[in-house]
Amino acid sequence: WQETTGSEHFQKQIGFLAEVDRLKTVERATLLCDGSRRELTGEHSWHIAMYALVLAEHAATPIDIDRVIQMLLIHDLVEIDAGDKPIHGDHDIAEMEAIEQAAADRIFGLLPCQQGADLRALWEEFEAAESNDAVFAKSVDRVQPVIANLETGGGSWIEYNVSRKQLEDRVGWKVEKGAPNLWAHLQSKIAKFFDGTSAR
Amino acid sequence: WQETTGSEHFQKQIGFLAEVDRLKTVERATLLCDGSRRELTGEHSWHIAMYALVLAEHAATPIDIDRVIQMLLIHDLVEIDAGDKPIHGDHDIAEMEAIEQAAADRIFGLLPCQQGADLRALWEEFEAAESNDAVFAKSVDRVQPVIANLETGGGSWIEYNVSRKQLEDRVGWKVEKGAPNLWAHLQSKIAKFFDGTSAR
Ligand SMILES: [Ca+2]
């Protein structure tokens, strides 16, 4: 009997790990730094975990970097069902939230019960954006496309016709809240880009 | 003066994070679970960090899962310069090691000095495959393509004409060393695949 339980436990974990493979095929608005194609959510999740690891010292408050990294590894799993919602696009927020909650039910529900509940709680914490760890994780998630756009000469800012005011309203304050010195550092580059484009 | 130092510190970190974006374009032998294309190293690095997070309880020895995850996030950065070396391919090991050391010099060298040295030491620990954390990290890195191949009906095993003996010699003992119960659990599926293919 214990053998069987053990085997089911493995099956659930392996089933979950095979299912989340699909995050590698979800397309985002952001371009790769070389401009060759759009970024996919799986590789994005790796890259922002690297961002958190490298930039941890700039957090506005004390953080637990290990929790932040785990949070970022799982933060976009719901996109397997819900897709990516570009930050500069328009969405029905209540509808998106319902879709993401259903996605979380299904995806975290693939895991053994306690493990699924623990990871889902970490995802809910990220979504709530209130704890120190979540605030820093959000700032890292928001700043990565900014840096990718600066590297690609505008990237998704051009496509979505983003103004500097929109960038500040939708992105800037969130980065600043979690990593104020990082946002300050980027100001001169951001100013240079938006001053260099007319009618913004 | 301090302002300048701070700015250089940020520049190095952002330069590193923009450079490692290139790991998203390194192609591996393994197929995605849906068989649609080959896996890229950036998304692979995310996926095995997820593997470690989910499978940590099966480690053969006590491990620090946070160090393991950090190790796996950076374990393939050298492939930006060195490319992926398929486990079932043939390589000049001394030559590959020299190329990877040069890649590590360049890539970790982009970071502020102490941070680069710390992450490089973590990569060297992974490569040495001696510490408990590295042994478990290696087992996770090796088992992910096995599960992808089982999901895709053989995947890179068919392409490289891999026998069950080769799988045991090149992969099995490494998975078993770090996560013996996981390898035991996979035996029936592996047997079913290799028994189902003739001349293996
Ligand atoms: Ca690998």
Side-chain angles (χ1 to χ4, degrees), chain A residues 9 11 13 17 20-21 24 33 37 39-40 42-43 45-47 54 57-58 66 73 115 189, chain B residues 9 11 13 17 20-21 24 33 37 39-40 42-43 45-47 54 57-58 66 70 73 115 189:
Chain A
H9 189 85
Q11 294 283 18
Q13 291 176 323
L17 290 168
V20 303
D21 199 75
K24 299 171 186 169
C33 287
R37 62 167 170 83
E39 192 185 31
L40 302 163
E43 61 198 7
S45 301
W46 164 74
H47 205 182
V54 168
E57 66 186 293
H58 307 299
D66 301 314
L73 290 174
Q115 189 167 42
K189 286 181 184 176
Chain B
H9 189 83
Q11 293 283 18
Q13 290 176 324
L17 290 167
V20 302
D21 199 74
K24 299 170 187 170
C33 286
R37 63 166 169 82
E39 192 185 32
L40 303 163
E43 61 198 7
S45 301
W46 164 74
H47 205 181
V54 167
E57 65 186 294
H58 308 299
D66 302 314
Q70 291 189 15
L73 290 174
Q115 188 167 42
K189 287 182 185 176

